[in-house]
Amino acid sequence: MKKLLLTTAALALSAGFAMADTVRLGTEGAYPPYNFINDKGEVDGFERELGDELCKRAELTCEWVTNDWDSIIPNLVSGNYDVIIAGMSITEERDQVIDFTQNYTLPDPSAYLAPSADVDVKSGVIAAQSGTIQASYVASSGATLVEYATPEESIAAVRNGEADAVLADRAFLLPVAEEDAGLELLEEMVMIGGGIGLGLRESDTELKSKLDAAIQSMKDDGSLNALIEKWEIGLTF
């Protein structure tokens, strides 16, 4: 998921991991297929499988924590969890506040979902989740941006006529289009961001090294590509 989230409060906060007994993985739990809450009330999806496997390979004991997207970086920096694994794109602006591992997905195309194919996405009203790189893209495109706190609300805005289209990760919008005959994916796609990585506090260099090595091992043996294909995330490495 391509998201852009910065907060000045995060700059003033700091906390150290110091190789604690349990690594807490923070995710949103509201952005399938990357992460969501299943019928058992548990974190599920591509990033759940990925995170569990990375912890196994890095020989870390991990637990999952859910957090709203709009405060996910500040709560990492303040120590509420140790890693962000929430479809967060690696961007230069975010990297000024937190650190990132190497990417575990390639940039995934963003797409528009609209009631019809004749929507003018260049001058229309376009919905996006607030704090995302899609919202930033729309704001600079000449279209009118309307922002919503959750991805579901941005889709609802199109359904109820508040917006002409919504821009989000294509992997997220595809199943919505398949299930809702009143909405369709437009052919136009936008490449934004540099792939998704794990977010960490700048001070947690040892943890970053362990997770970087685990990600690389999954790339090397093909298991990361297998997960990407299983969850239909996008291009493989």
Side-chain angles (χ1 to χ4, degrees):
M1 172 182 49
K2 315 303 186 298
K3 297 198 168 182
L4 178 62
L5 179 63
L6 289 174
T7 173
T8 54
L11 295 170
L13 299 171
S14 63
F17 168 67
M19 298 310 294
D21 292 337
T22 300
V23 177
R24 298 158 298 168
L25 306 178
T27 193
E28 185 182 16
Y31 205 74
Y34 296 90
N35 58 80
F36 59 92
I37 305 300
N38 63 24
D39 293 339
K40 296 180 180 179
E42 301 170 339
V43 174
D44 205 338
F46 165 69
E47 287 172 319
R48 174 59 194 262
E49 285 200 53
L50 174 65
D52 287 348
E53 181 63 20
L54 292 177
C55 288
K56 178 181 177 181
R57 293 184 182 221
E59 299 182 342
L60 299 169
T61 300
C62 297
E63 66 180 23
W64 288 86
V65 178
T66 57
N67 193 96
D68 291 341
W69 175 255
D70 60 1
S71 60
I72 203 164
I73 286 179
N75 283 333
L76 167 73
V77 179
S78 63
N80 290 348
Y81 35 82
D82 307 299
V83 178
I84 293 174
I85 177 168
M88 180 172 283
S89 293
I90 301 167
T91 69
E92 182 178 348
E93 195 171 4
R94 285 188 182 127
D95 200 34
Q96 295 174 10
V97 181
I98 62 173
D99 204 357
F100 285 97
T101 62
Q102 63 173 294
N103 62 334
Y104 57 81
T105 76
L106 293 169
D108 188 34
S110 295
Y112 293 94
L113 185 72
S116 66
D118 60 358
V119 168
D120 184 355
V121 297
K122 301 301 182 185
S123 61
V125 178
I126 309 300
Q129 186 180 12
S130 59
T132 65
I133 59 175
Q134 285 92 354
S136 179
Y137 177 85
V138 173
S140 63
S141 71
T144 299
L145 169 67
V146 286
E147 297 182 83
Y148 296 88
T150 68
E152 290 81 7
E153 288 175 303
S154 66
I155 293 172
V158 178
R159 288 193 174 113
N160 63 29
E162 293 178 13
D164 299 315
V166 55
L167 182 65
D169 290 324
R170 190 177 188 278
F172 170 70
L173 294 177
L174 181 59
V176 177
E178 291 175 341
E179 295 172 4
D180 190 334
L183 297 174
E184 60 180 288
L185 279 176
L186 306 189
E187 291 186 4
E188 179 178 350
M189 290 187 287
V190 183
M191 299 299 293
I192 318 172
I196 296 170
L198 302 173
L200 304 97
R201 290 180 289 270
E202 294 278 2
S203 58
D204 289 338
T205 55
E206 184 178 356
L207 178 58
K208 177 185 174 181
S209 295
K210 286 178 175 287
L211 292 171
D212 263 330
I215 293 171
Q216 188 60 54
S217 73
M218 291 188 69
K219 289 180 177 178
D220 291 343
D221 67 16
S223 56
L224 182 53
N225 280 344
L227 271 185
I228 290 171
E229 290 176 341
K230 173 183 177 179
W231 289 98
E232 299 181 347
I233 293 300
L235 300 174
T236 55
F237 289 93

